[in-house]
Amino acid sequence: MSLRTARILTSIYLALALFFVTWPGLKPFARVEPLVLGLPFSMAWIAGWIAGSVFVLYGLDRVERRYRDGEDS
Amino acid sequence: MQQWVVVSIIIGAYLALTLSIGLLAGRKSSDSVTGYVAADRSFGLLVMYFVTGASVFSAFAFLGGPGWAYSRGAAAFYILAYGALGMAPFYWVGPRAAALGRKFGYVTQAQLVVGRFPSRTLSALIAGLSLIAFVPYITLQMRGAGIVIEAVTDGNVPIWLGSLVAYGIVVLYVLASGAMAVGWTNTFQGVFMVIIAWSLGLYLPYRLYGGVTPMFEQIMDVRPEMLVPPGLTATGEPWSWGAYSTFIIISAVGLMMWPHLFMKAFTAKDDDTMRRTVILFPTFQLFLIPVFLIGFSGILFSGGPSSADFILPYMILETGLPAVVVGLFCAGALSASMSTGDALLHASASVVVEDGVTQFVKLDDRQRRLLMRILVLLTGTTAYYFAQDAESSLVLLLATAYGVISQLAPPVISAMYWRRATTTGVLAGLLAGTATSVFFYFNPDLRPFDMHEGVLGLIVHVPVLISVSLMTPIQNEKHLEGFFS
């Protein structure tokens, strides 16, 4: 994956995360059931977007790192 | 032995341990301004991770978080939502700021802004805004420490004494060791808080309701409105979507603009350390889940504390935990308060001296260090004074400070990323944005869609910055070259 694509995808993920944890994106998911791992659905939904960002940022870092290493050699 | 005596002994031991870590850490740091403010740019991944995590999560999260979950239900989720969003852009912004810091010798964010937009007024304005936002923030931390100690010692150690002892220790090690002490004590405090939060957050629902699922099922039967965003207001009315959403936005924008957090860019050992800290930060954020569980466990519990901010100590005392556990919890909450308080005290002194005073008076290295130490003492005393009679909720105090601090975002970002921005444009934007948010702070009924005053400030700030910049001549090419090459 190119650096540009990785950066765009990461930005899209972050924009979607912002959309889905605020109005109006959160509205359809602002409910209690089904409980996920014992938590109300909306709480798990928000936590899920946060946990997801770890993986997205990790992926971005791998691409950025490869690009930086290539630049050095 | 009475319970509160055992608790006091544990707290005493914890405070002694923190103090010794803080004092020992300073022996490794060099005797210069860079050493005091930026720890000789030496922090590795472990320290950076906990420094950042522990300075973000404060008494606000540890006491205010459960307080909101308990009294306002799902409204508290806003605290969960913003952290990762606010932190992620720092993956790019952080290393860039660090590179400029190394190149030009910056140790504060105002130096970065003023390096690009030379103006003493701008520098003093940023220092002033930071200080205005810092004092309520430090006040809140001290009050948090006092609340916890008073509650768990059955009032034998009153708020004034508890906050005095806890913050006496913080002031001592910040004075002695600067950024190094903040780094190492936060590592210790960060580990402590995470362990306490998870064990207590899972234990309380289990003990009272037989588990997390049964707890939420019972709340759903009795108070279903508590569990659906945007939750409730302090008086139990439904909260508005406008306020809920803009609280998230303003907190995300403001998060890394806090000088004590932004300055971490100048303390990191290398860029990779900083990037990894950003990647791992959301894992720290998830620690709010058990913190909220503690608050939710209080909703159906009979009785209640005098103020929602007391819910955490209240639950711990009312569920008959052994004294040792109460003592450990108390140390965890103190960790949360002190680990942010020390960073705040340290940063406010650094900012006032570096960005305010030295802009107008020439001081050598030794004099600057001395002045910073005097200011740590002065700011501490001022905040301590206010901490004795604060009435409002911990979360609201902080949310207000966020409105002020987030006005620093447009100047910082344009300093690093927008060639066309000019000094006049940045100054005009900053003044317009700040004036707007102050206006709506004092006239809450006029806010469109119940939006946070800081967001309204930004809505005015950004267009003013852009249009005034475009109307004024571009900065000279040679000056820009230093920032964008």
Side-chain angles (χ1 to χ4, degrees):
Chain A
M1 195 190 300
S2 81
L3 188 62
R4 207 181 131 77
T5 321
R7 285 184 176 173
I8 291 173
L9 287 178
T10 307
S11 307
I12 291 175
Y13 179 84
L14 293 173
L16 282 177
L18 178 64
F19 176 78
F20 280 119
V21 299
T22 53
W23 185 88
L26 180 60
K27 226 172 165 208
F29 306 96
R31 49 193 158 86
V32 190
E33 290 191 290
L35 294 178
V36 180
L37 298 170
L39 303 176
F41 186 79
S42 55
M43 188 170 168
W45 170 257
I46 296 168
W49 280 100
I50 292 165
S53 71
V54 179
F55 297 101
V56 172
L57 287 168
Y58 177 73
L60 169 78
D61 191 55
R62 287 191 57 162
V63 179
E64 293 248 359
R65 195 181 296 275
R66 207 170 55 217
Y67 176 80
R68 279 196 301 274
D69 291 347
E71 215 177 31
D72 293 341
S73 59
Chain B
M1 213 177 342
Q2 274 182 299
Q3 163 149 329
W4 75 270
V5 180
V6 181
V7 173
S8 306
I9 293 172
I10 294 173
I11 296 169
Y14 164 81
L15 290 174
L17 191 58
T18 310
L19 181 62
S20 44
I21 294 175
L23 293 178
L24 284 175
R27 294 170 55 188
K28 290 173 65 185
S29 160
S30 77
D31 205 30
S32 64
V33 169
T34 314
Y36 188 77
V37 179
D40 296 321
R41 310 186 196 278
S42 65
F43 286 169
L45 180 63
L46 179 77
V47 180
M48 275 293 282
Y49 176 69
F50 281 107
V51 168
T52 315
S55 25
V56 171
F57 294 107
S58 59
F60 152 71
F62 219 87
L63 298 172
W68 267 44
Y70 165 70
S71 62
R72 306 182 55 167
F77 296 167
Y78 106 79
I79 306 170
L80 179 64
Y82 75 76
L85 287 170
M87 191 66 159
F90 221 61
Y91 183 90
W92 297 296
V93 178
R96 187 160 172 117
L100 291 168
R102 281 190 297 267
K103 189 170 173 187
F104 296 109
Y106 300 144
V107 286
T108 71
Q109 84 217 74
Q111 288 173 347
L112 174 79
V113 173
V114 175
R116 168 77 202 282
F117 308 112
S119 159
R120 293 200 300 190
T121 317
L122 185 59
S123 184
L125 195 62
I126 294 178
L129 283 178
S130 309
L131 195 64
I132 290 172
F134 267 142
V135 172
Y137 202 170
I138 300 172
T139 300
L140 170 170
Q141 305 304 337
M142 286 188 177
R143 195 168 166 74
I147 285 177
V148 168
I149 296 179
E150 181 182 279
V152 298
T153 56
D154 292 339
N156 282 294
V157 182
I159 289 189
W160 70 266
L161 183 60
S163 48
L164 186 66
V165 171
Y167 274 79
I169 287 172
V170 170
V171 167
L172 252 177
Y173 69 72
V174 173
L175 283 179
S177 320
M180 271 294 181
V182 174
W184 284 103
T185 52
N186 280 10
T187 309
F188 168 66
Q189 290 160 332
V191 174
F192 211 89
M193 301 146 60
V194 170
I195 295 173
I196 294 287
W198 278 104
S199 41
L200 208 58
L202 295 176
Y203 172 79
L204 283 178
Y206 183 79
R207 166 79 203 276
L208 298 173
Y209 306 93
V212 176
T213 311
M215 174 176 82
F216 281 116
E217 278 167 354
Q218 289 180 37
I219 298 175
M220 213 152 58
D221 288 339
V222 186
R223 307 275 317 264
E225 76 283 3
M226 293 292 268
L227 299 180
V228 183
L232 309 175
T233 65
T235 51
E237 306 292 312
W239 206 22
S240 68
W241 276 110
Y244 178 86
S245 304
T246 49
F247 264 60
I248 293 177
I249 293 170
I250 205 65
S251 307
V253 173
L255 178 64
M256 290 316 292
M257 288 304 134
W258 279 102
H260 65 290
L261 295 178
F262 192 91
M263 280 159 65
K264 301 288 184 287
F266 303 121
T267 48
K269 196 190 230 157
D270 56 64
D271 296 350
D272 267 347
T273 307
M274 204 177 339
R275 293 192 186 99
R276 279 188 210 131
T277 311
V278 175
I279 298 170
L280 289 173
F281 180 76
T283 60
F284 217 107
Q285 185 80 16
L286 293 175
F287 133 96
L288 282 168
I289 292 175
V291 167
F292 290 160
L293 293 180
I294 297 170
F296 281 122
S297 74
I299 293 179
L300 299 181
F301 194 71
S302 59
S306 51
S307 141
D309 287 333
F310 279 86
I311 185 66
L312 209 158
Y314 179 84
M315 289 308 292
I316 287 167
L317 292 171
E318 292 301 309
T319 46
L321 290 164
V324 179
V325 179
V326 175
L328 285 176
F329 141 72
C330 186
L334 281 179
S335 290
S337 153
M338 291 166 71
S339 61
T340 306
D342 59 4
L344 290 168
L345 272 174
H346 174 256
S348 63
S350 306
V351 166
V352 170
V353 172
E354 292 298 309
D355 307 327
V357 180
T358 52
Q359 295 298 312
F360 302 94
V361 194
K362 268 272 160 280
L363 295 173
D364 66 32
D365 228 52
R366 203 183 50 83
Q367 288 169 317
R368 276 151 70 194
R369 273 180 79 109
L370 180 70
L371 188 58
M372 278 178 203
R373 290 182 163 136
I374 295 173
L375 273 163
V376 165
L377 220 51
L378 271 180
T379 320
T381 316
T382 313
Y384 178 75
Y385 172 76
F386 286 120
Q388 302 316 308
D389 66 347
E391 281 285 299
S392 30
S393 121
L394 297 179
V395 174
L396 280 181
L397 261 178
L398 187 64
T400 307
Y402 261 105
V404 179
I405 212 70
S406 56
Q407 301 304 321
L408 299 184
V412 168
I413 297 304
S414 43
M416 285 189 282
Y417 292 98
W418 196 37
R419 295 176 72 99
R420 192 61 189 81
T422 67
T423 308
T424 325
V426 167
L427 254 176
L430 192 56
L431 288 172
T434 308
T436 310
S437 55
V438 168
F439 174 81
F440 284 110
Y441 176 73
F442 288 108
N443 299 283
D445 296 338
L446 299 179
R447 295 175 201 177
F449 304 108
D450 202 17
M451 284 159 82
H452 190 287
E453 72 272 4
V455 170
L456 294 165
L458 288 176
I459 291 174
V460 174
H461 188 153
V462 175
V464 171
L465 190 160
I466 293 175
S467 51
V468 175
S469 287
L470 293 175
M471 281 187 284
T472 40
I474 189 168
Q475 296 185 303
N476 82 52
E477 199 50 42
K478 237 179 137 181
H479 177 70
L480 289 175
E481 205 53 26
F483 280 82
F484 294 97
S485 61

